[in-house]
Amino acid sequence: MDWIIGAVCAFIVAGAAYAKKSLTLSGCLAAVIMGTIYYGAGNLFWFGTLLLFFITSTLFSKFRKDRKQELEKSYAKTGNRDAGQVMANGGIGMFLVLGNWILPHPAWMYAFIGVMATVTSDTWATEWGSLSRKPPRSVVTWKVLTPGTSGGVSLLGTLAAAIGGALIGVGAFFFSWIAGIGGLSLLSWTCVGLVGGLAGAFADSYLGATVQYMYRCTVCGREVEVSEHCGHRTVRARGWTWMSNDLVNVLSSVIGGCLAIGLGIILAS
């Protein structure tokens, strides 16, 4: 029955997101499969946390979209998420819920909150940071960067990342309480989400500033994540050829999840 409930709920949410053009067709199908597994193999703790990330991030991607349109031309992924982006954001969590289903242990839950806090913090930082009136700075050199440059951080974006990660922690407490599975206290869960989310978000910025494959527009000279900009093909600027934006998201999620495991175990002892 849980699998049926999960499939129905996932279909409704993903279908609505597809209708609102927040998901492509491939992204919608991936979200249905993912949501079904999250609830079927897990419970409200897992599925609710996924929804908390997806709904808030989708709403923020639509907020003042007119001011973000120019910057979004530099990004490999935009608010209209495809299957690759859906899997990059929620794929690790799907394997964690399956791991807990097969061999239950609190460490799976800690890792999951760290991962979801990371993708939430990173998404919120991007969405809110793009609205900052002050230009971002490189997380490596602290030099002023052009808005939209990968690896850039801002005060507004960092604040949004902290709030997003903490929110996932707060959600974890209430979803676990409703699901009747117990776990950490409200403060402890909030700390796990806050620390894991910030660590993962900064790891994402660091990887984006150092090894992510980036292009340079031959027209405006901007460093971008896409192979075409200003109506012309871009050229290679830096980074490892195989280090895509999706892979950077996955690696940063792993970092946030690993840190959350350690912190969760400490707080639970």
Side-chain angles (χ1 to χ4, degrees):
M1 181 58 69
D2 286 342
W3 290 90
I4 296 176
I5 294 175
V8 171
C9 292
F11 180 80
I12 293 174
V13 175
Y18 176 70
K20 292 292 185 179
K21 299 187 183 302
S22 295
L23 290 174
T24 64
L25 179 59
S26 67
C28 178
L29 294 176
V32 170
I33 295 173
M34 186 177 294
T36 301
I37 293 175
Y38 268 68
Y39 197 93
N43 47 46
L44 186 61
F45 171 80
W46 307 85
F47 188 75
T49 303
L50 177 67
L51 281 185
L52 184 60
F53 154 70
F54 179 73
I55 292 175
T56 57
S57 298
T58 299
L59 289 175
F60 285 148
S61 70
K62 303 298 183 183
F63 181 67
R64 295 191 177 181
K65 190 173 179 63
D66 55 324
R67 291 184 56 183
K68 303 174 184 176
Q69 287 181 343
E70 185 61 34
L71 290 179
E72 286 186 348
K73 296 177 181 179
S74 303
Y75 300 145
K77 303 294 182 179
T78 62
N80 196 6
R81 299 177 175 89
D82 59 16
Q85 191 172 14
V86 169
M87 289 302 296
N89 288 329
I92 296 178
M94 184 172 63
F95 287 110
L96 291 173
V97 72
L98 288 172
N100 187 72
W101 183 48
I102 298 171
L103 187 64
H105 192 280
W108 297 108
M109 298 169 62
Y110 304 151
F112 174 67
I113 294 305
V115 168
M116 296 311 298
T118 294
V119 296
T120 302
S121 293
D122 181 51
T123 302
W124 283 34
T126 300
E127 296 297 341
W128 285 95
S130 62
L131 298 176
S132 177
R133 295 182 178 181
K134 294 183 178 180
R137 290 180 177 272
S138 170
V139 72
V140 177
T141 65
W142 208 242
K143 291 182 179 180
V144 175
L145 300 176
T146 302
T149 302
S150 185
V153 295
S154 66
L155 179 60
L156 181 60
T158 301
L159 179 60
I163 296 174
L167 178 65
I168 292 298
V170 172
F173 171 77
F174 285 104
F175 290 135
S176 62
W177 176 69
I178 296 173
I181 58 178
L184 301 176
S185 66
L186 174 59
L187 180 59
S188 294
W189 271 126
T190 303
C191 288
V192 170
L194 174 63
V195 175
L198 279 178
F202 275 106
D204 185 280
S205 294
Y206 180 80
L207 292 172
T210 55
V211 297
Q212 181 178 338
Y213 189 79
M214 300 294 294
Y215 302 87
R216 187 172 302 283
C217 179
T218 56
V219 177
C220 67
R222 177 178 294 180
E223 193 175 85
V224 297
E225 298 177 350
V226 291
S227 58
E228 185 173 320
H229 195 262
C230 293
H232 291 76
R233 297 288 296 180
T234 53
V235 296
R236 178 178 180 177
R238 61 175 174 83
W240 299 341
T241 306
W242 49 271
M243 186 60 72
S244 65
N245 176 261
D246 284 339
L247 185 54
V248 166
N249 290 339
V250 170
L251 292 177
S252 59
S253 295
V254 170
I255 292 172
C258 289
L259 189 61
I261 292 176
L263 182 57
I265 292 176
I266 292 174
L267 294 174
S269 61

